[in-house]
Amino acid sequence: MTHKKDFNDFLLEKKTDTEVSQAIDNKMQGANQQAQGGAAQQNTSQISQSPQQLQQLLNQLKNQAQTQQQQTDGKVSQAIQQAINALSQAQQSIQANQVYYQMNQLLEQSTKQLEQLNQQVQQSQQQQQQQQTQQTSQQLL
């Protein structure tokens, strides 16, 4: 009988161990589910924050692009203004060169006219001298 009793005790202990194991397993599963639920809530929270963060990032990128565009526009405007100034100076320089060229042409023409006049005067003087020489030589004769 003691043998039977020992076997019954053994079965009872075995049953108790199994129940305890199941209870532990149930508690572990519950804890895992709670942990997973918390993680799911955290992921959901992150997902719900993600569009807001994406919108903020898009707004920042848009602002940066606008700022860069304004800076580029400003630089282009400066470059255009500098080009206009350079063209204006070049035009003034060309006009000054044209005036200088025209003055040189007038000077050359004047010089040629003076040379021609000088030649005419010399020829006239030579003719006068020849005439005087002829007159003098005729008077002497």
PDB file of all heavy atoms in Angstrom, residues 67-90:
ATOM      1  N   THR A  67      15.291  79.494 -50.217  1.00  0.00           N
ATOM      2  CA  THR A  67      16.413  80.352 -49.831  1.00  0.00           C
ATOM      3  C   THR A  67      17.527  80.277 -50.875  1.00  0.00           C
ATOM      4  O   THR A  67      18.066  81.301 -51.294  1.00  0.00           O
ATOM      5  CB  THR A  67      16.958  79.932 -48.450  1.00  0.00           C
ATOM      6  OG1 THR A  67      15.899  80.032 -47.495  1.00  0.00           O
ATOM      7  CG2 THR A  67      18.119  80.800 -48.017  1.00  0.00           C
ATOM      8  N   GLN A  68      17.846  79.047 -51.293  1.00  0.00           N
ATOM      9  CA  GLN A  68      18.891  78.882 -52.301  1.00  0.00           C
ATOM     10  C   GLN A  68      18.481  79.535 -53.614  1.00  0.00           C
ATOM     11  O   GLN A  68      19.303  80.144 -54.298  1.00  0.00           O
ATOM     12  CB  GLN A  68      19.205  77.401 -52.514  1.00  0.00           C
ATOM     13  CG  GLN A  68      19.957  76.785 -51.355  1.00  0.00           C
ATOM     14  CD  GLN A  68      20.176  75.288 -51.518  1.00  0.00           C
ATOM     15  OE1 GLN A  68      19.554  74.646 -52.350  1.00  0.00           O
ATOM     16  NE2 GLN A  68      21.060  74.731 -50.702  1.00  0.00           N
ATOM     17  N   GLN A  69      17.201  79.417 -53.968  1.00  0.00           N
ATOM     18  CA  GLN A  69      16.713  80.037 -55.208  1.00  0.00           C
ATOM     19  C   GLN A  69      16.831  81.556 -55.128  1.00  0.00           C
ATOM     20  O   GLN A  69      17.248  82.211 -56.078  1.00  0.00           O
ATOM     21  CB  GLN A  69      15.256  79.629 -55.471  1.00  0.00           C
ATOM     22  CG  GLN A  69      14.713  80.141 -56.790  1.00  0.00           C
ATOM     23  CD  GLN A  69      15.438  79.535 -57.970  1.00  0.00           C
ATOM     24  OE1 GLN A  69      15.688  78.353 -58.006  1.00  0.00           O
ATOM     25  NE2 GLN A  69      15.786  80.351 -58.941  1.00  0.00           N
ATOM     26  N   GLN A  70      16.490  82.117 -53.958  1.00  0.00           N
ATOM     27  CA  GLN A  70      16.607  83.568 -53.784  1.00  0.00           C
ATOM     28  C   GLN A  70      18.065  84.008 -53.878  1.00  0.00           C
ATOM     29  O   GLN A  70      18.375  85.025 -54.492  1.00  0.00           O
ATOM     30  CB  GLN A  70      16.006  83.987 -52.438  1.00  0.00           C
ATOM     31  CG  GLN A  70      14.490  83.890 -52.390  1.00  0.00           C
ATOM     32  CD  GLN A  70      13.931  84.100 -50.984  1.00  0.00           C
ATOM     33  OE1 GLN A  70      14.673  84.146 -50.022  1.00  0.00           O
ATOM     34  NE2 GLN A  70      12.615  84.205 -50.880  1.00  0.00           N
ATOM     35  N   GLN A  71      18.954  83.226 -53.263  1.00  0.00           N
ATOM     36  CA  GLN A  71      20.380  83.561 -53.332  1.00  0.00           C
ATOM     37  C   GLN A  71      20.869  83.475 -54.776  1.00  0.00           C
ATOM     38  O   GLN A  71      21.613  84.352 -55.235  1.00  0.00           O
ATOM     39  CB  GLN A  71      21.192  82.623 -52.439  1.00  0.00           C
ATOM     40  CG  GLN A  71      20.973  82.861 -50.958  1.00  0.00           C
ATOM     41  CD  GLN A  71      21.667  81.813 -50.095  1.00  0.00           C
ATOM     42  OE1 GLN A  71      22.120  80.786 -50.579  1.00  0.00           O
ATOM     43  NE2 GLN A  71      21.722  82.061 -48.788  1.00  0.00           N
ATOM     44  N   THR A  72      20.438  82.435 -55.476  1.00  0.00           N
ATOM     45  CA  THR A  72      20.839  82.272 -56.877  1.00  0.00           C
ATOM     46  C   THR A  72      20.296  83.415 -57.712  1.00  0.00           C
ATOM     47  O   THR A  72      21.019  83.981 -58.546  1.00  0.00           O
ATOM     48  CB  THR A  72      20.332  80.920 -57.420  1.00  0.00           C
ATOM     49  OG1 THR A  72      20.871  79.864 -56.619  1.00  0.00           O
ATOM     50  CG2 THR A  72      20.738  80.723 -58.863  1.00  0.00           C
ATOM     51  N   ASP A  73      19.028  83.771 -57.490  1.00  0.00           N
ATOM     52  CA  ASP A  73      18.437  84.886 -58.230  1.00  0.00           C
ATOM     53  C   ASP A  73      19.205  86.175 -57.967  1.00  0.00           C
ATOM     54  O   ASP A  73      19.449  86.962 -58.887  1.00  0.00           O
ATOM     55  CB  ASP A  73      16.960  85.071 -57.847  1.00  0.00           C
ATOM     56  CG  ASP A  73      16.080  83.937 -58.360  1.00  0.00           C
ATOM     57  OD1 ASP A  73      16.548  83.148 -59.209  1.00  0.00           O
ATOM     58  OD2 ASP A  73      14.915  83.840 -57.914  1.00  0.00           O
ATOM     59  N   GLY A  74      19.587  86.377 -56.713  1.00  0.00           N
ATOM     60  CA  GLY A  74      20.355  87.572 -56.365  1.00  0.00           C
ATOM     61  C   GLY A  74      21.696  87.587 -57.077  1.00  0.00           C
ATOM     62  O   GLY A  74      22.119  88.621 -57.606  1.00  0.00           O
ATOM     63  N   LYS A  75      22.375  86.441 -57.104  1.00  0.00           N
ATOM     64  CA  LYS A  75      23.670  86.364 -57.776  1.00  0.00           C
ATOM     65  C   LYS A  75      23.511  86.576 -59.278  1.00  0.00           C
ATOM     66  O   LYS A  75      24.347  87.239 -59.902  1.00  0.00           O
ATOM     67  CB  LYS A  75      24.340  85.019 -57.488  1.00  0.00           C
ATOM     68  CG  LYS A  75      24.820  84.884 -56.050  1.00  0.00           C
ATOM     69  CD  LYS A  75      25.430  83.530 -55.774  1.00  0.00           C
ATOM     70  CE  LYS A  75      25.849  83.411 -54.315  1.00  0.00           C
ATOM     71  NZ  LYS A  75      26.372  82.085 -53.996  1.00  0.00           N
ATOM     72  N   VAL A  76      22.455  86.009 -59.848  1.00  0.00           N
ATOM     73  CA  VAL A  76      22.210  86.197 -61.282  1.00  0.00           C
ATOM     74  C   VAL A  76      21.937  87.669 -61.569  1.00  0.00           C
ATOM     75  O   VAL A  76      22.454  88.229 -62.542  1.00  0.00           O
ATOM     76  CB  VAL A  76      21.037  85.302 -61.757  1.00  0.00           C
ATOM     77  CG1 VAL A  76      20.567  85.696 -63.147  1.00  0.00           C
ATOM     78  CG2 VAL A  76      21.444  83.839 -61.730  1.00  0.00           C
ATOM     79  N   SER A  77      21.146  88.310 -60.718  1.00  0.00           N
ATOM     80  CA  SER A  77      20.861  89.740 -60.899  1.00  0.00           C
ATOM     81  C   SER A  77      22.143  90.558 -60.831  1.00  0.00           C
ATOM     82  O   SER A  77      22.347  91.478 -61.631  1.00  0.00           O
ATOM     83  CB  SER A  77      19.878  90.229 -59.838  1.00  0.00           C
ATOM     84  OG  SER A  77      18.618  89.628 -60.009  1.00  0.00           O
ATOM     85  N   GLN A  78      23.005  90.228 -59.875  1.00  0.00           N
ATOM     86  CA  GLN A  78      24.284  90.939 -59.761  1.00  0.00           C
ATOM     87  C   GLN A  78      25.134  90.725 -61.015  1.00  0.00           C
ATOM     88  O   GLN A  78      25.747  91.668 -61.530  1.00  0.00           O
ATOM     89  CB  GLN A  78      25.060  90.454 -58.532  1.00  0.00           C
ATOM     90  CG  GLN A  78      24.517  90.956 -57.214  1.00  0.00           C
ATOM     91  CD  GLN A  78      25.295  90.395 -56.030  1.00  0.00           C
ATOM     92  OE1 GLN A  78      26.033  89.429 -56.156  1.00  0.00           O
ATOM     93  NE2 GLN A  78      25.124  91.005 -54.869  1.00  0.00           N
ATOM     94  N   ALA A  79      25.165  89.494 -61.485  1.00  0.00           N
ATOM     95  CA  ALA A  79      25.958  89.188 -62.679  1.00  0.00           C
ATOM     96  C   ALA A  79      25.418  89.937 -63.888  1.00  0.00           C
ATOM     97  O   ALA A  79      26.189  90.483 -64.689  1.00  0.00           O
ATOM     98  CB  ALA A  79      25.961  87.684 -62.940  1.00  0.00           C
ATOM     99  N   ILE A  80      24.092  90.003 -64.009  1.00  0.00           N
ATOM    100  CA  ILE A  80      23.481  90.730 -65.123  1.00  0.00           C
ATOM    101  C   ILE A  80      23.817  92.216 -65.016  1.00  0.00           C
ATOM    102  O   ILE A  80      24.172  92.857 -66.017  1.00  0.00           O
ATOM    103  CB  ILE A  80      21.956  90.495 -65.152  1.00  0.00           C
ATOM    104  CG1 ILE A  80      21.656  89.062 -65.583  1.00  0.00           C
ATOM    105  CG2 ILE A  80      21.260  91.493 -66.067  1.00  0.00           C
ATOM    106  CD1 ILE A  80      20.203  88.660 -65.441  1.00  0.00           C
ATOM    107  N   GLN A  81      23.723  92.765 -63.820  1.00  0.00           N
ATOM    108  CA  GLN A  81      24.037  94.188 -63.626  1.00  0.00           C
ATOM    109  C   GLN A  81      25.499  94.473 -63.955  1.00  0.00           C
ATOM    110  O   GLN A  81      25.821  95.475 -64.580  1.00  0.00           O
ATOM    111  CB  GLN A  81      23.712  94.620 -62.186  1.00  0.00           C
ATOM    112  CG  GLN A  81      23.802  96.115 -61.968  1.00  0.00           C
ATOM    113  CD  GLN A  81      22.852  96.893 -62.864  1.00  0.00           C
ATOM    114  OE1 GLN A  81      21.689  96.556 -62.990  1.00  0.00           O
ATOM    115  NE2 GLN A  81      23.352  97.927 -63.507  1.00  0.00           N
ATOM    116  N   GLN A  82      26.385  93.567 -63.534  1.00  0.00           N
ATOM    117  CA  GLN A  82      27.804  93.742 -63.840  1.00  0.00           C
ATOM    118  C   GLN A  82      28.045  93.673 -65.349  1.00  0.00           C
ATOM    119  O   GLN A  82      28.846  94.436 -65.892  1.00  0.00           O
ATOM    120  CB  GLN A  82      28.641  92.680 -63.121  1.00  0.00           C
ATOM    121  CG  GLN A  82      28.736  92.900 -61.625  1.00  0.00           C
ATOM    122  CD  GLN A  82      29.434  91.770 -60.889  1.00  0.00           C
ATOM    123  OE1 GLN A  82      29.685  90.708 -61.458  1.00  0.00           O
ATOM    124  NE2 GLN A  82      29.743  91.980 -59.614  1.00  0.00           N
ATOM    125  N   ALA A  83      27.330  92.757 -66.015  1.00  0.00           N
ATOM    126  CA  ALA A  83      27.473  92.651 -67.470  1.00  0.00           C
ATOM    127  C   ALA A  83      26.973  93.919 -68.149  1.00  0.00           C
ATOM    128  O   ALA A  83      27.598  94.417 -69.093  1.00  0.00           O
ATOM    129  CB  ALA A  83      26.712  91.430 -67.977  1.00  0.00           C
ATOM    130  N   ILE A  84      25.857  94.456 -67.666  1.00  0.00           N
ATOM    131  CA  ILE A  84      25.322  95.703 -68.226  1.00  0.00           C
ATOM    132  C   ILE A  84      26.323  96.841 -68.030  1.00  0.00           C
ATOM    133  O   ILE A  84      26.585  97.625 -68.951  1.00  0.00           O
ATOM    134  CB  ILE A  84      23.948  96.042 -67.589  1.00  0.00           C
ATOM    135  CG1 ILE A  84      22.883  95.054 -68.073  1.00  0.00           C
ATOM    136  CG2 ILE A  84      23.533  97.475 -67.889  1.00  0.00           C
ATOM    137  CD1 ILE A  84      21.564  95.142 -67.339  1.00  0.00           C
ATOM    138  N   ASN A  85      26.896  96.928 -66.828  1.00  0.00           N
ATOM    139  CA  ASN A  85      27.897  97.965 -66.553  1.00  0.00           C
ATOM    140  C   ASN A  85      29.111  97.818 -67.475  1.00  0.00           C
ATOM    141  O   ASN A  85      29.624  98.809 -68.010  1.00  0.00           O
ATOM    142  CB  ASN A  85      28.334  97.925 -65.087  1.00  0.00           C
ATOM    143  CG  ASN A  85      27.218  98.347 -64.142  1.00  0.00           C
ATOM    144  OD1 ASN A  85      26.262  98.980 -64.540  1.00  0.00           O
ATOM    145  ND2 ASN A  85      27.357  97.981 -62.876  1.00  0.00           N
ATOM    146  N   ALA A  86      29.564  96.567 -67.648  1.00  0.00           N
ATOM    147  CA  ALA A  86      30.729  96.325 -68.512  1.00  0.00           C
ATOM    148  C   ALA A  86      30.410  96.715 -69.952  1.00  0.00           C
ATOM    149  O   ALA A  86      31.241  97.331 -70.638  1.00  0.00           O
ATOM    150  CB  ALA A  86      31.145  94.855 -68.432  1.00  0.00           C
ATOM    151  N   LEU A  87      29.205  96.372 -70.422  1.00  0.00           N
ATOM    152  CA  LEU A  87      28.812  96.744 -71.783  1.00  0.00           C
ATOM    153  C   LEU A  87      28.720  98.257 -71.930  1.00  0.00           C
ATOM    154  O   LEU A  87      29.124  98.815 -72.955  1.00  0.00           O
ATOM    155  CB  LEU A  87      27.472  96.095 -72.152  1.00  0.00           C
ATOM    156  CG  LEU A  87      27.517  94.592 -72.398  1.00  0.00           C
ATOM    157  CD1 LEU A  87      26.104  94.033 -72.597  1.00  0.00           C
ATOM    158  CD2 LEU A  87      28.372  94.285 -73.623  1.00  0.00           C
ATOM    159  N   SER A  88      28.198  98.920 -70.907  1.00  0.00           N
ATOM    160  CA  SER A  88      28.096 100.377 -70.944  1.00  0.00           C
ATOM    161  C   SER A  88      29.490 101.006 -71.019  1.00  0.00           C
ATOM    162  O   SER A  88      29.728 101.930 -71.805  1.00  0.00           O
ATOM    163  CB  SER A  88      27.349 100.874 -69.705  1.00  0.00           C
ATOM    164  OG  SER A  88      27.296 102.270 -69.680  1.00  0.00           O
ATOM    165  N   GLN A  89      30.406 100.497 -70.210  1.00  0.00           N
ATOM    166  CA  GLN A  89      31.776 101.008 -70.251  1.00  0.00           C
ATOM    167  C   GLN A  89      32.431 100.723 -71.596  1.00  0.00           C
ATOM    168  O   GLN A  89      33.149 101.572 -72.134  1.00  0.00           O
ATOM    169  CB  GLN A  89      32.604 100.388 -69.120  1.00  0.00           C
ATOM    170  CG  GLN A  89      32.215 100.897 -67.744  1.00  0.00           C
ATOM    171  CD  GLN A  89      32.982 100.196 -66.631  1.00  0.00           C
ATOM    172  OE1 GLN A  89      33.697  99.234 -66.860  1.00  0.00           O
ATOM    173  NE2 GLN A  89      32.812 100.680 -65.405  1.00  0.00           N
ATOM    174  N   ALA A  90      32.168  99.541 -72.138  1.00  0.00           N
ATOM    175  CA  ALA A  90      32.729  99.196 -73.442  1.00  0.00           C
ATOM    176  C   ALA A  90      32.179 100.127 -74.521  1.00  0.00           C
ATOM    177  O   ALA A  90      32.921 100.587 -75.390  1.00  0.00           O
ATOM    178  CB  ALA A  90      32.416  97.740 -73.782  1.00  0.00           C
TER     179      ALA A  90
END
